[in-house]
Amino acid sequence: SHPNVSLTLRPAILPTSPSGFEVQFTLPAGSSAVLSWSFEKRFLQLAAYAPDSHRGVDVPSPVVQAQVGYKAPHYHYTTPLLISFPTPDFSMPFNVITLSCTVLALFFGSTFNALVRDKLD
């Protein structure tokens, strides 16, 4: 027989706010359960990345509540999770600006030198 399962999902209203996922079910004595889900890694909007985006995103510690009969529930806190998202190369705009400024400086310096320098011949 399958246990009675209740799923509750509270999606995030804003991209920066957390979402919630709750599963309630009853297990017979001596049985076990495995909970897993898959997710898809996606690129975020540029403004959504944190200053330390290469570190990843922290997922807080889940709470497991176990209750046997009518006794007080026991709470178990699991370890938190660090998810690494694919991050674009944030140094590319810096490299483009540096290269463009270098080319402009060389062009301006050569032009200025050719126009201002006295001919020695």
Side-chain angles (χ1 to χ4, degrees):
S1 69
H2 297 289
N4 186 13
V5 177
S6 169
L7 297 172
T8 305
L9 176 65
R10 291 182 306 277
I13 297 171
L14 299 173
T16 56
S17 64
S19 58
F21 180 68
E22 183 178 323
V23 180
Q24 293 181 358
F25 54 92
T26 304
L27 288 177
S31 61
S32 63
V34 175
L35 176 67
S36 65
W37 66 90
S38 61
F39 62 93
E40 183 177 326
K41 291 184 176 184
R42 292 187 175 186
F43 281 110
L44 300 174
Q45 295 292 330
L46 186 61
Y49 282 100
D52 59 346
S53 61
H54 291 286
R55 182 181 174 277
V57 175
D58 289 312
V59 176
S61 172
V63 179
V64 177
Q65 176 185 346
Q67 186 171 0
V68 178
Y70 296 106
K71 294 181 180 178
H74 298 282
Y75 294 97
H76 303 280
Y77 296 92
T78 63
T79 57
L81 180 66
L82 182 65
I83 297 177
S84 60
F85 289 114
T87 54
D89 183 14
F90 290 117
S91 66
M92 187 181 66
F94 173 76
N95 294 339
V96 170
I97 291 171
T98 304
L99 182 63
S100 301
C101 289
T102 302
V103 169
L104 283 174
L106 289 172
F107 174 75
F108 178 75
S110 299
T111 305
F112 184 76
N113 191 20
L115 293 175
V116 174
R117 188 176 216 182
D118 290 337
K119 304 277 186 202
L120 295 177
D121 291 332

